[in-house]
Amino acid sequence: MMKEQEITLTELLDSRDRRWSHEKFLMAHYPKQTLICLTVVMPGKVKRNASSLIVAKAATKALHGAFDEEMSLWEQKDLPTGYEAYCMVSVKPEAAKRRCCIIEERHPLGRLFDIDVIGPGGVPISRQQLGLAPRTCLICGKEARLCMRMHTHTQEELQAKIKEMIDDYVQRL
């Protein structure tokens, strides 16, 4: 059985700073490429567990399927603060973001993938820039950002929904 480790807010914020620093490093070394950064949506203090690794594996497979031919770098980190993967591709940022949005929308676990696409100068490409609707809440279907900001749903509700999604996915494998 995998040991689950709770993380602190400081550890989470530090991991975001390290991730941003690594993204800047990659963009400096691959200036003509587009950076894709993958993390797993896992609310709560435990970011790495058996469920998050199932999601990470599914997301990794989906990204390789979408970008394998254009991929020049693939790095992954399995950390207590959560799974991270970095991918450099020879696809224009907007086209890469469209592919990633399709993955997030169509894959059975896609709502649990957080796939950021970062263009030249470190500027993330947003769904809104492409004329796409914002991501929706796992539970009620409203705009996810609003539910998060308003704490509309409890962590227990979110975790139960995530468990249900992962259990359904695993049963279909």
Side-chain angles (χ1 to χ4, degrees), residues 41-44 49 51 109 112 138-139 153-169:
V41 175
M42 195 58 55
N49 55 32
S51 294
L109 296 179
L112 305 179
L138 290 172
I139 296 174
H153 312 288
T154 66
Q155 278 199 4
E156 292 77 18
E157 288 175 305
L158 289 167
Q159 288 166 338
K161 179 62 177 175
I162 289 169
K163 181 183 180 331
E164 176 187 321
M165 290 170 70
I166 293 169
D167 288 349
D168 287 349
Y169 175 76

Side-chain angles (χ1 to χ4, degrees), residues 69-101:
E69 297 297 315
E70 298 105 342
M71 198 179 293
S72 58
L73 171 88
W74 177 265
E75 290 181 0
Q76 53 191 16
K77 299 179 180 186
D78 183 7
L79 305 168
T81 51
Y83 177 86
E84 302 172 2
Y86 303 88
C87 178
M88 299 302 300
V89 296
S90 58
V91 176
K92 297 230 179 286
E94 292 79 9
K97 182 65 176 182
R98 284 191 191 285
R99 286 190 208 178
C100 291
C101 288

Side-chain angles (χ1 to χ4, degrees), residues 38-158:
L38 164 71
T39 56
V40 173
V41 175
M42 195 58 55
K45 293 182 178 183
V46 175
K47 301 295 182 188
R48 184 192 182 277
N49 55 32
S51 294
S52 70
L53 294 179
I54 290 168
V55 175
K57 184 176 180 182
T60 295
K61 184 176 179 183
L63 281 174
H64 276 285
F67 293 101
D68 237 4
E69 297 297 315
E70 298 105 342
M71 198 179 293
S72 58
L73 171 88
W74 177 265
E75 290 181 0
Q76 53 191 16
K77 299 179 180 186
D78 183 7
L79 305 168
T81 51
Y83 177 86
E84 302 172 2
Y86 303 88
C87 178
M88 299 302 300
V89 296
S90 58
V91 176
K92 297 230 179 286
E94 292 79 9
K97 182 65 176 182
R98 284 191 191 285
R99 286 190 208 178
C100 291
C101 288
I102 289 169
I103 292 168
E104 289 175 340
E105 291 168 6
R106 295 186 184 167
H107 192 283
L109 296 179
R111 277 298 289 112
L112 305 179
F113 307 164
D114 186 5
I115 309 172
D116 294 328
V117 175
I118 302 165
V123 178
I125 307 301
S126 71
R127 297 172 68 87
Q128 289 76 12
Q129 280 175 261
L130 301 177
L132 300 173
R135 292 188 82 170
T136 58
C137 174
L138 290 172
I139 296 174
C140 69
K142 293 180 181 170
E143 190 175 333
R145 191 175 29 216
L146 299 177
C147 287
M148 286 172 50
R149 192 176 303 138
M150 302 299 292
H151 302 284
T152 306
H153 312 288
T154 66
Q155 278 199 4
E156 292 77 18
E157 288 175 305
L158 289 167

